[in-house]
């Protein structure tokens, strides 16, 4: 019974996921929706990270939240 | 016990699939397919139908003020209008901004020379299932899609201009 309830709870939580069409991404395209709000600081941190690790990349894909390009 | 576990697993998978599935109501319009007709109003409130432009090549673009590549493509479309309008190219830019004032601000800056249509409810993108913003379609004189272009980068300008030039220079049989 507990497992059934757990399954239902997970399903309910997952149902919060929604498909966002390209023309609906006005909110997602806003600068404050970016993973890195301060691009300059993010570049600086990446540089430090690259120097320490001796490796670069792995920071996701190009493009913005609007799904363009 | 194994049977119960299997049942639970099946229920979980089905619920997961149902809850995350994207609704599919429209058909994605691609190259070689006819572009469905639609009617939208321009900035002055005058209604235009896509079928009114049959007999012309149409460059149909979907844009929004919040989409940075769209803002790169708009001045380029002004250039293309100046270059190719006399050869029969009609450029139609469909704006999908929910708040028209945001689109107006962009238009004040760019001063589009081509036709801009308003589609705040995104009825046409929903109908033809555009994959990204911006998406543009080059439509032939019979209303068939010759080319679909997704996104817009600076490097696309020359390629697209070349394509437009080739198509508009081809004599009609």
């Amino acid at each position: 019974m507990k497992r059934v309830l757990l399954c239902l709870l997970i399903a309910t939580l997952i149902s919060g996921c929604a498909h966002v069409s390209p023309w609906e991404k006005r909110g997602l395209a806003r600068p404050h929706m970016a993973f890195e709000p301060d691009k300059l600081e993010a570049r600086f941190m990446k540089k430090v990270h690259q120097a320490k690790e001796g490796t670069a990349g792995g920071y996701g894909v190009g493009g913005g939240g609007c799904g363009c390009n | 016990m194994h049977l119960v576990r299997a049942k639970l697993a099946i229920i979980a998978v089905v619920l997961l699939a149902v809850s995350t599935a994207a609704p599919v109501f429209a058909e994605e319009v691609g190259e070689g397919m006819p572009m469905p007709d639609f009617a939208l109003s321009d900035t002055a409130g005058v209604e235009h139908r896509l079928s009114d432009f049959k007999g012309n090549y149409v460059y149909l673009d979907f844009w929004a003020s919040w989409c940075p590549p769209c803002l790169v493509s708009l001045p380029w479309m002004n250039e293309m209008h100046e270059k190719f309008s006399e050869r029969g190219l009609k450029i139609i830019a469909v704006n999908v901004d929910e708040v028209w004032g945001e689109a107006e601000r962009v238009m004040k800056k760019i001063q589009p020379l081509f036709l801009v249509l308003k589609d705040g409810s995104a009825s046409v993108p929903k109908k033809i299932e555009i994959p990204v913003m911006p998406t543009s379609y080059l439509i032939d004189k019979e209303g068939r899609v010759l080319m679909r272009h997704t996104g817009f980068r600076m490097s696309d300008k020359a390629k697209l201009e070349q394509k437009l030039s080739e198509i508009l220079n081809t004599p009609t049989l």
Side-chain angles (χ1 to χ4, degrees), chain B residues 92-143:
Chain B
I92 305 173
V94 177
N95 175 265
V96 299
D97 271 289
E98 288 167 49
V99 183
W100 176 242
E102 292 175 5
E104 260 184 333
R105 272 201 296 274
V106 170
M107 284 172 58
K108 263 185 196 166
K109 263 192 211 166
I110 288 165
Q111 298 287 331
L113 303 169
F114 43 83
L115 180 65
V116 176
L117 300 178
K118 293 156 80 172
D119 190 12
S121 61
S123 62
V124 183
K126 278 177 199 163
K127 199 169 163 184
I128 64 173
E129 276 286 306
I130 66 164
V132 295
M133 290 289 292
T135 296
S136 53
Y137 300 83
L138 182 61
I139 302 165
D140 72 7
K141 293 178 178 183
E142 281 76 44

Side-chain angles (χ1 to χ4, degrees), chain A residues 3-4 7-8 11 14-15 17 19 22-26 29-30 66-69, chain B residues 5 8 15-16 19 66-67 69 99 102 122 125-126 130-133 151-153:
Chain A
R3 282 183 182 173
V4 174
C7 282
L8 284 173
I14 287 171
S15 65
C17 303
H19 172 76
W23 52 88
E24 295 171 332
K25 296 188 176 175
R26 175 176 169 243
R30 288 183 176 150
C66 62
C68 330
N69 291 330
Chain B
R5 275 189 184 174
L8 281 174
L15 286 173
L16 183 68
S19 60
W66 44 259
C67 156
V99 183
E102 292 175 5
K126 278 177 199 163
I130 66 164
V132 295
M133 290 289 292
F152 197 88
R153 293 166 191 267

Side-chain angles (χ1 to χ4, degrees), chain B residues 55-116:
Chain B
N56 290 290
Y57 283 102
V58 174
Y59 186 84
L60 178 68
D61 181 72
F62 292 88
W63 70 282
S65 63
W66 44 259
C67 156
C70 302
L71 306 184
V72 178
S73 74
L74 292 173
W76 174 81
M77 286 195 284
N78 264 348
E79 279 177 43
M80 293 305 103
H81 173 85
E82 283 181 334
K83 277 192 179 172
F84 297 120
S85 62
E86 282 181 8
R87 284 200 243 166
L89 179 71
K90 299 280 177 198
I91 299 180
I92 305 173
V94 177
N95 175 265
V96 299
D97 271 289
E98 288 167 49
V99 183
W100 176 242
E102 292 175 5
E104 260 184 333
R105 272 201 296 274
V106 170
M107 284 172 58
K108 263 185 196 166
K109 263 192 211 166
I110 288 165
Q111 298 287 331
L113 303 169
F114 43 83
L115 180 65
V116 176

Side-chain angles (χ1 to χ4, degrees), chain A residues 8-22:
Chain A
L8 284 173
L9 179 69
I10 291 169
T12 312
L13 291 173
I14 287 171
S15 65
C17 303
H19 172 76
V20 183
S21 298

